[in-house]
Amino acid sequence: MLASITEEYIPPSKGSFLSLFIALIALSCAAIFIKLSEREIGPVATVFNRLWIAAIVLRVWHWISISIIQSPEQQHDQRVPEKSEVLLLVLVGIIGTASVIFWALSLTQTSVANSTLMRNLSPIFTCLQGWLFFRQRFQTQFILGMFLALIGASLIGIGDFKIGIEHLIGDGLGLLAAIFYALNLLILEHLRSKFSAVRLLCWRCAIGALILIPFVWLTEDKFFPCSLDSWLIILALAIICQCFGQCVLVHQLKQFSSSFIAIFLLLEPTCTAIFAKLIFAEALSALNLVAFVIVLVGIFFAKTCEKSEHPILQKAE
């Protein structure tokens, strides 16, 4: 099986790295759309609507791509998943949704800076779980780049970071969000050689939406937005961030390892800060720009490491 998987490996190109950056920009808009959506509905209801709309869009997208593009890969993507694959697909939906829930709960129990710092630890857990469960190995240069990027990402909200026992529960929830997000990326990386990114995300969104129904019922006043503006915001969140951004991100798991992508996503807080300045006129300090540069340097170190670009070959060794 390792040999067949290795044959499907596609070396990364400049276009692949550009696609990853475009996905980052799309994902960076999520915090803006969520902030706008929460003027009318709660955070859990926002995520619920984001997922069920995305599931429908992705299912239509998958059907159209199969109908129009009759390639062997598209035909193979129509096959019925094996039992072990179904289990992993369901697991992705559960774990990905759990990460979102822990993230939302963390924001209610601690400061945004504390919660963000905890969640930014996901690259560490991606590497650790990749080593434990998938026997991945990493060069010293890759580890150095990861910690450098982590330092840069931590500087973004360091001024608002608070220490105290009252933040312990929220910080713990943020840490759980990072652990589950890392595991979600690793399983998606494993499944990416078997299914298209569109099909994987369709499963993930559909299962996640079903899981969130009781949470919305218990914690929110209403399931859906009422105004046209709020619906447009939810649609943008689902289509731009979930369908486009996440789909491009998962697609690139054939070119880049989940560990490298987790490091690359540390640029997201800085991009979000830039968008917040443009849209909400929020302050953008010199420290944010310094942090952005440090994260870029860390990503460069990780990118120039061969292991970051050959996750499948690495497993076959």
Side-chain angles (χ1 to χ4, degrees):
M1 184 178 70
L2 288 175
S4 63
I5 291 177
T6 304
E7 290 175 359
E8 295 180 13
Y9 169 73
I10 302 174
S13 62
K14 293 181 179 179
S16 299
F17 197 77
L18 178 61
S19 297
L20 201 59
F21 188 76
I22 293 173
L24 172 72
I25 294 175
L27 293 173
S28 299
C29 297
I32 306 298
F33 291 138
I34 290 172
K35 186 172 182 178
L36 292 171
S37 173
E38 289 177 356
R39 294 175 178 177
E40 187 167 314
I41 59 176
V44 181
T46 296
V47 175
F48 166 72
N49 284 284
R50 168 184 179 173
L51 291 180
W52 75 259
I53 292 173
I56 293 175
V57 173
L58 289 167
R59 184 65 187 94
V60 173
W61 184 357
H62 185 250
W63 178 78
I64 292 175
S65 64
I66 289 175
S67 301
I68 297 177
I69 308 173
Q70 297 292 332
S71 66
E73 183 180 356
Q74 293 288 347
Q75 295 298 324
H76 177 73
D77 200 42
Q78 295 184 68
R79 69 180 179 85
V80 178
E82 299 175 2
K83 290 183 179 179
S84 59
E85 294 170 345
V86 170
L87 179 62
L88 287 176
L89 287 167
V90 173
L91 197 59
V92 162
I94 295 173
I95 290 174
T97 304
S99 175
V100 174
I101 292 174
F102 284 134
W103 169 249
L105 291 175
S106 173
L107 290 171
T108 66
Q109 300 293 323
T110 189
S111 67
V112 174
N114 285 37
S115 185
T116 301
L117 182 60
M118 293 299 106
R119 194 169 184 269
N120 280 346
L121 295 177
S122 59
I124 294 178
F125 295 113
T126 305
C127 292
L128 181 60
Q129 292 171 6
W131 174 68
L132 285 173
F133 302 131
F134 297 98
R135 298 182 180 180
Q136 293 181 355
R137 289 172 291 171
F138 306 93
Q139 296 177 2
T140 303
Q141 180 180 335
F142 186 90
I143 300 298
L144 175 63
M146 177 184 69
F147 279 105
L148 194 60
L150 280 169
I151 291 171
S154 301
L155 286 176
I156 295 173
I158 196 67
D160 299 320
F161 183 77
K162 299 176 182 179
I163 300 175
I165 193 169
E166 66 274 13
H167 301 289
L168 189 59
I169 295 177
D171 293 350
L173 290 169
L175 201 61
L176 283 174
I179 294 172
F180 276 80
Y181 185 75
L183 187 56
N184 176 65
L185 271 180
L186 282 165
I187 298 175
L188 284 173
E189 179 185 9
H190 175 72
L191 290 172
R192 182 62 188 92
S193 60
K194 306 173 187 294
F195 302 101
S196 67
V198 175
R199 193 175 185 187
L200 284 175
L201 280 178
C202 186
W203 273 81
R204 186 247 176 276
C205 292
I207 294 171
L210 290 174
I211 292 172
L212 282 178
I213 290 176
F215 287 92
V216 180
W217 183 273
L218 294 172
T219 62
E220 304 286 355
D221 296 328
K222 50 186 176 181
F223 273 78
F224 309 104
C226 300
S227 67
L228 177 60
D229 289 344
S230 294
W231 272 113
L232 291 175
I233 291 168
I234 289 292
L235 284 171
L237 179 63
I239 295 173
I240 296 175
C241 303
Q242 193 69 34
C243 295
F244 178 74
Q246 288 285 349
C247 198
V248 173
L249 190 73
V250 173
H251 180 76
Q252 294 306 317
L253 283 171
K254 258 194 174 181
Q255 285 76 39
F256 299 101
S257 71
S258 56
S259 301
F260 175 75
I261 286 180
I263 294 173
F264 190 86
L265 288 178
L266 291 175
L267 282 172
E268 186 179 341
T270 303
C271 292
T272 301
I274 294 173
F275 292 148
K277 176 178 175 57
L278 295 175
I279 298 173
F280 300 112
E282 294 184 3
L284 185 65
S285 66
L287 187 61
N288 291 135
L289 299 178
V290 172
F292 180 74
V293 173
I294 294 175
V295 174
L296 280 178
V297 173
I299 289 173
F300 174 77
F301 281 149
K303 171 68 172 64
T304 53
C305 177
E306 183 181 4
K307 294 290 185 181
S308 69
E309 299 181 348
H310 299 276
I312 298 175
L313 292 179
Q314 177 181 332
K315 295 171 192 173
E317 291 177 354

